[in-house]
């Protein structure tokens, strides 16, 4: 070969790489190009296929959503749970219950209320059937009822972590604070002032609660889903003694039986004064807890009988050991008199006489034993260390003679009325040894035509005075006429008084002599001077 026919290496490689086209292959490629050509029919088919795929996917999503979450606008117990899974809905409901339904109101019968916070007591609400509620949804409601509210009323149960916590809360609550409640009062036996008989009365029910019982009622109400509770009677502290208490009935019956006992005490005096222990006073002597004792014979409290005797002494004692007491003159004036006379009750001796009688009568009555008339109606004698004529403010009796030195008046009182009144002249006031002694005395005797002799300190005769009517009451001191005087009363006693006797006009002395008897009481007191006309004018 010539040089013109030589091939370079590049050409050789090019020629070697060339392969002649296959006619059949060319036809095949032509047909492929024709199928890929875009047409409206093909576009429509593509859209249908896409819509089908999307529809299937949407249905799948709807069914999956409706089986795993609540549909929109869904509520359980007014709590919105739309779009929430079962676990999310349960947590939301629990949280909402804790915040929205946390208050529980407890009301007492008197209207006082207490608010209990349930979360403090560990109260929780657990709904049942949340998962089942989700599965019961219709997936197509996502489209058909997408604008409608859907509500599920699901059952639930309430648990309390620590029920003892409710008791602690109630123990420290307002309704259980001292001062905010009324303590219950026992049924009691009380005398009817109209019938004089004891009757059983209902005590105060009170408003003090029993936290343990109240907590039980609250727990039950909370578990039932309630939010308020009015406590029942069983939640309150009950009185120890109720209406049907047998001991109270026995006490009432026996106290009424004491009405059959009538103990009387003769207090003496003229006329005799009889005191009867009233039913009320007798009942006070009985120990109110006598039915609880093993020794019913000790049912009478001796200290209370002693107190009763002391009451008698306070009522009837008039003597004053100091030597002074008050006396009411027949004119109505209170006068201080110098005397230890009066009544003085011997309290220990009277008690020793009274207590056994009371004890025996009460003991038999409480044992429901028959009492004789003497046991039912005994009459005892009071024992006195000192007595007087009669009982009363003026216990010297209704008949006596009183002399007022200040008034220079003598009054003879008979049965409470002035029988005789006279001006007198008493002892010389300025001479201590000639003053008329004050006090309470008794007449010793009476004589006609008596010579009264006075003596000097050395024993010589000082004077001899003849009187027609002589009525001594204190040694050589007495009432008598004084014919040597022409005037009585006024202030004569201050400068020309007697030697201590009570000088009287002859007619008045004669009249007194006719009334006076041995042992008659004579009361001499200082008295108060009557106001003169000049004194009245100056005042």
């Amino acid at each position: 070969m010539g040089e013109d026919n030589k091939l370079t290496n590049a050409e050789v490689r090019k020629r070697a790489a060339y392969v002649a086209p296959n006619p059949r292959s060319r036809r095949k490629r032509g047909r492929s190009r024709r199928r890929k050509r875009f047409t409206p029919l093909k576009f429509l088919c593509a859209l249908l296929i896409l819509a089908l795929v999307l529809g299937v996917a949407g249905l799948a999503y709807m069914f999956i959503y409706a089986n795993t979450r609540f549909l929109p606008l869904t509520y359980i117990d007014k709590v919105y749970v739309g779009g929430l899974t079962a676990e999310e809905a349960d947590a939301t409901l629990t949280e909402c219950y804790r915040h929205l339904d946390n208050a529980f109101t407890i009301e007492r019968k008197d209207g006082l209320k207490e608010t209990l916070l349930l979360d403090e007591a560990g109260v929780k609400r657990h709904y049942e059937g949340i998962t089942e509620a989700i599965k019961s949804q219709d997936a197509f409601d996502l489209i058909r009822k997408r604008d409608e509210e859907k509500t599920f009323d699901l059952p639930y149960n309430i648990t309390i972590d620590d029920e003892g916590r409710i008791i602690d809360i109630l123990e420290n609550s307002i309704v259980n604070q001292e001062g905010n409640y009324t303590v219950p009062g026992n049924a009691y036996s009380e005398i009817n002032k109209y019938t004089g008989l004891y009757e059983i009365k209902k005590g105060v029910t009170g408003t003090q609660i029993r936290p343990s019982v109240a907590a039980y009622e609250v727990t039950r109400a909370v578990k039932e889903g309630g939010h308020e509770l009015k406590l029942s009677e069983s939640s309150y502290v009950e009185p120890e003694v109720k209406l049907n208490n047998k001991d109270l009935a026995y006490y009432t019956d026996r106290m009424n039986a004491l009405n059959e006992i009538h103990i009387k005490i003769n207090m003496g005096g003229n006329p005799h004064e009889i005191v009867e222990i009233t039913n009320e006073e007798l009942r006070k002597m009985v120990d109110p807890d006598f039915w609880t004792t093993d020794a019913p014979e000790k049912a009478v409290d001796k200290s209370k009988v002693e107190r009763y005797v002391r009451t008698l002494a306070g009522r009837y004692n008039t003597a004053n050991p100091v030597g002074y007491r008050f006396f009411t003159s027949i004119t109505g004036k209170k006068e201080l008199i110098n005397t230890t006379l009066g009544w003085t009750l011997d309290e220990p001796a009277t008690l020793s006489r009274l207590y056994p009688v009371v004890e025996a009568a009460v003991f038999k009555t409480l044992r429901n034993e028959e009492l004789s008339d003497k046991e039912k109606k005994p009459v005892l004698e009071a024992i006195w260390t000192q007595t007087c004529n009669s009982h009363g403010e003026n216990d010297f009796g209704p008949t006596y003679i009183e002399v007022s030195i200040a008034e220079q008046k003598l009054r003879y009182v008979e049965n409470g009325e002035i029988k005789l009144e006279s001006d007198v002249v008493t002892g010389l006031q300025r001479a201590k040894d000639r003053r008329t002694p004050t006090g309470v005395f008794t007449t010793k005797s009476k004589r006609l035509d008596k010579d009264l002799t006075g003596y000097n300190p050395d024993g010589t005769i000082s004077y001899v005075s003849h009187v027609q009517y002589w009525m001594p009451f204190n040694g050589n001191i007495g009432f008598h006429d004084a014919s040597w005087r022409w005037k009585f009363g006024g202030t004569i006693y201050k400068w020309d008084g007697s030697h201590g006797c009570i000088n009287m006009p002859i007619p008045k002395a004669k009249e007194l002599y006719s009334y006076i008897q041995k042992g008659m009481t004579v009361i001499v007191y200082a008295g108060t001077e009557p106001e003169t006309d000049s004194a009245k004018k100056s005042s």
Side-chain angles (χ1 to χ4, degrees), residues 1-13 15:
M1 292 178 144
E3 289 179 359
D4 296 332
N5 293 326
K6 289 182 181 179
L7 298 174
T8 64
N9 289 334
E11 289 176 346
V12 173
R13 287 195 297 272
R15 289 179 180 181

Side-chain angles (χ1 to χ4, degrees), residues 167-297:
I167 298 178
D168 295 337
I169 293 173
L170 288 176
E171 285 180 343
N172 298 287
S173 64
I174 295 175
V175 295
N176 198 46
Q177 286 181 2
E178 187 175 355
N180 288 345
Y181 59 78
T182 303
V183 179
N186 293 332
Y188 59 97
S189 186
E190 181 181 61
I191 193 167
N192 186 315
K193 64 179 180 180
Y194 299 106
T195 64
L197 298 175
Y198 270 79
E199 298 174 353
I200 297 177
K201 301 290 184 180
K202 182 180 180 181
V204 179
T205 55
T207 57
Q208 183 181 7
I209 69 169
R210 292 192 290 173
S212 58
V213 179
Y216 171 77
E217 291 190 8
V218 171
T219 300
R220 185 176 60 184
V222 168
K223 288 184 176 180
E224 291 175 356
H227 291 89
E228 60 181 5
L229 171 69
K230 190 168 185 177
L231 296 175
S232 68
E233 286 294 332
S234 60
S235 292
Y236 299 95
V237 176
E238 297 179 346
E240 296 180 2
V241 181
K242 301 180 181 179
L243 283 174
N244 58 352
N245 185 278
K246 293 181 179 179
D247 290 336
L248 184 60
Y250 170 71
Y251 171 82
T252 303
D253 178 67
R254 292 297 86 201
M255 292 302 276
N256 284 331
L258 293 177
N259 287 347
E260 301 298 321
I261 301 175
H262 302 278
I263 300 175
K264 296 181 179 180
I265 305 173
N266 183 356
M267 304 302 293
N270 184 22
H272 293 323
E273 183 163 349
I274 305 297
V275 174
E276 180 176 339
I277 301 177
T278 65
N279 294 329
E280 181 181 3
E281 290 169 331
L282 183 62
R283 293 187 187 103
K284 288 180 180 178
M285 299 176 188
V286 179
D287 184 352
D289 297 324
F290 67 83
W291 67 74
T292 63
T293 179
D294 295 330
E297 66 276 9

Side-chain angles (χ1 to χ4, degrees), residues 31-49:
R31 287 196 299 271
S32 177
R33 289 190 190 100
R34 286 195 296 270
R35 282 197 296 271
K36 290 181 180 179
R37 190 174 294 171
F38 177 79
T39 64
L41 180 62
K42 290 180 179 179
F43 179 73
L44 180 60
C45 290
L47 287 176
L48 290 174
I49 292 171

Side-chain angles (χ1 to χ4, degrees), residues 136-154:
S136 69
Q137 297 178 122
D138 189 345
F140 292 103
D141 285 347
L142 276 169
I143 300 173
R144 290 181 304 184
K145 300 181 180 180
R146 62 180 180 275
D147 295 328
E148 295 182 13
E149 291 185 1
K150 295 163 279 296
T151 302
F152 285 98
D153 293 325
L154 299 182

Side-chain angles (χ1 to χ4, degrees), residues 375-476:
E375 290 174 318
K376 285 182 181 179
K377 302 176 181 179
V379 180
L380 308 178
E381 297 287 337
I383 302 174
W384 302 89
T385 57
Q386 181 173 291
T387 62
C388 213
N389 292 335
S390 63
H391 292 289
E393 186 175 2
N394 291 342
D395 51 13
F396 304 110
T399 300
Y400 57 89
I401 303 168
E402 63 173 74
V403 177
S404 171
I405 294 176
E407 293 181 275
Q408 290 292 283
K409 289 284 187 180
L410 176 147
R411 299 179 181 93
Y412 167 65
V413 180
E414 185 175 283
N415 295 325
E417 295 181 357
I418 298 176
K419 195 78 170 180
L420 167 66
E421 184 171 4
S422 174
D423 289 333
V424 297
V425 175
T426 59
L428 183 62
Q429 187 70 10
R430 63 186 182 184
K432 188 175 181 180
D433 60 338
R434 290 178 56 178
R435 294 174 186 170
T436 301
T438 58
V440 180
F441 314 95
T442 56
T443 55
K444 308 303 181 182
S445 62
K446 61 178 182 178
R447 287 183 60 182
L448 296 173
D449 295 326
K450 170 72 173 175
D451 288 329
L452 303 179
T453 304
Y455 296 91
N456 293 313
D458 59 1
T460 59
I461 295 176
S462 173
Y463 66 89
V464 176
S465 299
H466 178 78
V467 299
Q468 299 182 43
Y469 306 100
W470 169 240
M471 297 158 280
F473 59 82
N474 181 20
N476 60 351

Side-chain angles (χ1 to χ4, degrees), residues 12-27:
V12 173
R13 287 195 297 272
K14 185 176 181 181
R15 289 179 180 181
Y18 176 76
V19 179
N22 189 338
R24 294 180 64 183
S25 297
R26 188 180 296 138
R27 286 195 298 271

